Amino acid sequence: MYLPKHTSWLNQIEIVFGMIMRKVIRRGNFTSVTDLKEKLLRFINYFNAVFAKPFRWTFTGRPLQTGGLKKPGKQGITVAAK
């Protein structure tokens, strides 16, 4: 299994857990652990059916090129010594 060296994929996991917290757990009234599990699985099935779309990974594994890239119109300020 390949995991990227950067952590942007963790942001996606945090978003999903945050959504589950807001939509299921915080608003829920659960009579048992089994009830919580059933409502959680029902929400996941609903989300997958309505909102989820396949993700096409575009990261090539090559590092970004740096250096020589400057924003157009941005000039550095030079301060002359007296």
Side-chain angles (χ1 to χ4, degrees):
M1 174 180 209
Y2 172 76
L3 295 177
K5 294 178 184 175
H6 49 83
T7 59
S8 64
W9 63 276
L10 284 175
N11 295 338
Q12 298 301 314
I13 294 170
E14 289 175 355
I15 289 170
V16 170
F17 281 123
M19 191 177 348
I20 288 171
M21 186 68 179
R22 287 188 309 274
K23 303 281 184 181
V24 180
I25 296 174
R26 190 176 297 155
R27 295 182 180 186
N29 185 12
F30 311 107
T31 58
S32 66
V33 174
T34 304
D35 185 35
L36 168 63
K37 182 179 176 181
E38 288 172 3
K39 289 178 180 175
L40 181 59
L41 290 175
R42 195 175 326 138
F43 173 77
I44 291 170
N45 289 332
Y46 166 76
F47 183 86
N48 286 338
V50 175
F51 297 108
K53 294 184 247 178
F55 181 79
R56 183 170 174 237
W57 187 258
T58 59
F59 182 69
T60 61
R62 291 181 290 152
L64 295 174
Q65 295 178 355
T66 59
L69 299 175
K70 295 182 181 177
K71 293 182 180 180
K74 296 284 184 179
Q75 298 292 327
I77 298 174
T78 305
V79 178
K82 290 185 177 182

